[in-house]
């Protein structure tokens, strides 16, 4: 299976290329996109151990000069300090305006590389080579780049679109089970916000908790439909003036849970799963969504081996307070993405704090 999905944008459109063994063609795929001669490959040790050799060989074979920047592993290192390391390597290797940064890794590497590319010399090219399911279906697409502030997630960032997203599904074979599940959380998100059919297809799969239990056709469907959903939304609203906010379904409470537990207890996908369970329940409490549908959502989340309860020890008042630092706060009001049916959501700032508290109490 090889598929091309277009992200159509007014300034610079680009392709998401999904194809088996495409990592071997990274250099070739980048040729012809006017990406300069120098490439800074940004990754981490785990990912480089698995795929560094292939990626570097392919880039060199296509005539690129390759420098490498290896960053520490984990969300806790999605910081300005790590971005500084990218700048330092860019300087040492004299990266120019015409040069390109290539992100090889999960969403953490992609978000930081994109931010470094957005700001180095006021903006250079970058290419996304996502190696986690979550980055393939979500983080690598759409140009949101950035890092965390000690007070909150993704508070520092820029919109900077990649020139190409290259997805080689074969790299998922080495992905730890927990990270695979995290990616499924974002796929369930697309099912709820945009793609009722994708939701139904996942419901039809006996298991969803490990890559090896999914039929090859379902994996293809998950990749293609999720990338298409993200491309559709981003093409309609690149800078989140309206529609794009729906991609934050599950992220309002999810981000608070992630940052309040210091990025050590749940990963991003698990936090989104908890946030979707909370948002579903809030929508039911507000009479916007049928209880039976939130139960279908939660059953799918559980089938994927993902949590629907809050981690132990989290204080409800702290979560409610943390919601105020969310990027989506407008005029002091927290904005929630809430489902009205599977495949359809709405954005509202009319959620009483007491409803949030009540729902969170039920999730302990
Ligand atoms: P991650 O980048 O931390 O990767 C998870 C782990 O998997 C890491 O330890 C990594 O080293 C390892 N890994 C990556 N690929 C591997 C492979 N093929 N085999 C073995 N190990 C591998 O986590 P993630 O879930 O990919 O990304 C989460 C981040 O993405 C969060 O920071 C989140 O905020 C961000 N995000 C951004 C957007 C966006 O639009 N920019 C959207 C969604 C999420
Ligand atoms: N993941 C949220 C967005 O891309 O807008």
């Amino acid at each position: 299976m090889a598929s091309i999905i277009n992200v159509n944008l007014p300034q610079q459109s680009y392709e998401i290329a999904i194809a088996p063994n495409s990592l071997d063609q990274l250099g070739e795929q980048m040729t012809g996109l006017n990406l300069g001669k120098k490439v800074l490959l940004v990754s981490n040790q785990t990912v480089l151990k698995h795929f560094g050799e292939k990626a570097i060989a392919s880039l060199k074979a296509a005539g690129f000069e390759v420098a490498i920047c290896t960053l520490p592993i984990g969300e806790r290192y999605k910081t300005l300090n790590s971005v500084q390391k990218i700048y330092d390597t860019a300087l040492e290797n004299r990266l120019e305006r015409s040069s390109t940064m290539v992100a090889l890794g999960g969403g953490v590497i992609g978000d930081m590389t994109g931010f470094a590319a957005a700001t180095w010399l006021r903006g250079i090219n970058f290419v996304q080579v996502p190696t986690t399911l979550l980055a393939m279906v979500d983080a690598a697409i759409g140009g949101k780049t950035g890092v965390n502030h000690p007070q909150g997630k993704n508070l520092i960032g820029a919109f900077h679109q990649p020139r190409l997203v290259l997805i080689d599904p074969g790299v998922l074979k080495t992905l730890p089970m927990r990270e695979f599940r995290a990616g499924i959380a974002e796929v369930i998100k697309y099912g709820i916000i945009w793609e009722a059919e994708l939701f139904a297809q996942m419901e039809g799969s006996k298991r969803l908790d490990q890559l090896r239990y999914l039929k090859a056709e379902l994996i293809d469907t998950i990749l293609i439909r999720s990338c298409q959903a993200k491309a559709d939304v981003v093409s309609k609203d690149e800078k989140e003036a309206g529609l794009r906010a729906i991609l934050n379904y599950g992220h309002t409470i999810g981000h608070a849970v992630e940052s309040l537990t210091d990025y050590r207890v749940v990963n991003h996908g698990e936090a989104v799963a908890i946030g979707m369970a909370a948002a579903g329940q809030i929508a039911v409490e507000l009479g916007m969504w049928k209880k039976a549908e939130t139960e279908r959502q939660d059953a799918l989340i559980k089938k994927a081996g993902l949590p629907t309860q809050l981690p132990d020890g989290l204080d409800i008042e702290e979560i409610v307070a943390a919601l105020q630092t969310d990027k989506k706060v407008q005029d002091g009001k927290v904005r929630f993405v809430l489902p009205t049916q599977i495949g359809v959501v709405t954005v509202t700032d009319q959620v009483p704090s007491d409803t949030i508290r009540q729902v969170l109490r039920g999730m302990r």
Side-chain angles (χ1 to χ4, degrees), residues 138 141 144 189 230 240 244 247-248 251:
D138 193 351
I141 306 163
K144 276 193 184 174
K189 175 187 83 177
K230 179 115 190 205
E240 203 167 306
R244 186 168 176 164
L247 294 171
N248 297 318
H251 288 57

Side-chain angles (χ1 to χ4, degrees), residues 140-212:
I141 306 163
K144 276 193 184 174
T145 72
V147 294
N148 301 326
H149 182 277
Q151 298 298 311
K153 204 171 144 63
N154 293 339
L155 292 182
I156 305 157
F159 284 101
H160 189 56
Q161 298 291 344
R163 299 290 311 283
L164 168 72
V165 181
L166 186 76
I167 297 178
D168 179 346
V171 305
L172 294 176
K173 287 194 187 113
T174 57
L175 191 66
M177 187 172 77
R178 192 171 167 196
E179 300 302 339
F180 173 75
R181 294 172 176 179
I184 294 289
E186 300 280 13
V187 181
I188 294 173
K189 175 187 83 177
Y190 291 122
I192 298 288
I193 66 169
W194 197 253
E195 267 276 12
E197 206 181 305
L198 176 61
F199 187 94
Q201 279 176 286
M202 287 193 287
E203 278 185 318
S205 176
K206 218 169 186 174
R207 292 184 67 162
L208 270 182
D209 54 330
Q210 290 184 48
L211 177 68
R212 66 195 166 112

Side-chain angles (χ1 to χ4, degrees), residues 65-77:
E65 262 173 44
V66 186
I68 297 161
C69 177
T70 311
L71 295 179
I73 297 175
E75 182 75 36
R76 272 177 297 131
Y77 297 99

Side-chain angles (χ1 to χ4, degrees), residues 32-83:
L33 294 178
N34 203 13
L35 295 175
K37 200 171 166 50
K38 284 188 186 175
V39 163
L40 177 59
L41 182 75
V42 184
S43 192
N44 69 31
Q45 261 174 3
T46 305
V47 176
L48 282 176
K49 185 183 79 190
H50 291 302
F51 313 114
E53 215 174 296
K54 257 191 191 182
I56 294 163
S58 168
L59 288 165
K60 286 189 174 164
F64 291 104
E65 262 173 44
V66 186
I68 297 161
C69 177
T70 311
L71 295 179
I73 297 175
E75 182 75 36
R76 272 177 297 131
Y77 297 99
K78 198 172 119 176
T79 59
L80 285 173
N81 264 351
S82 298
V83 172

Side-chain angles (χ1 to χ4, degrees), residues 75-76 148-155 251-268 271 311 314 318-319 321-323 325-326:
E75 182 75 36
R76 272 177 297 131
N148 301 326
H149 182 277
Q151 298 298 311
K153 204 171 144 63
N154 293 339
L155 292 182
H251 288 57
T252 310
I253 285 172
H255 280 172
V257 169
E258 252 186 299
S259 62
L260 285 173
T261 52
D262 208 15
Y263 307 107
R264 287 170 201 269
V265 179
V266 290
N267 63 29
H268 180 68
L314 264 187
E318 268 187 339
I319 301 179
L323 296 179
T325 63
D326 193 87

Side-chain angles (χ1 to χ4, degrees), residues 210-224:
Q210 290 184 48
L211 177 68
R212 66 195 166 112
Y213 294 125
L214 272 68
K215 292 199 174 121
E217 308 88 80
L218 181 60
I219 296 166
D220 288 353
T221 303
I222 281 175
L223 288 174
I224 294 169

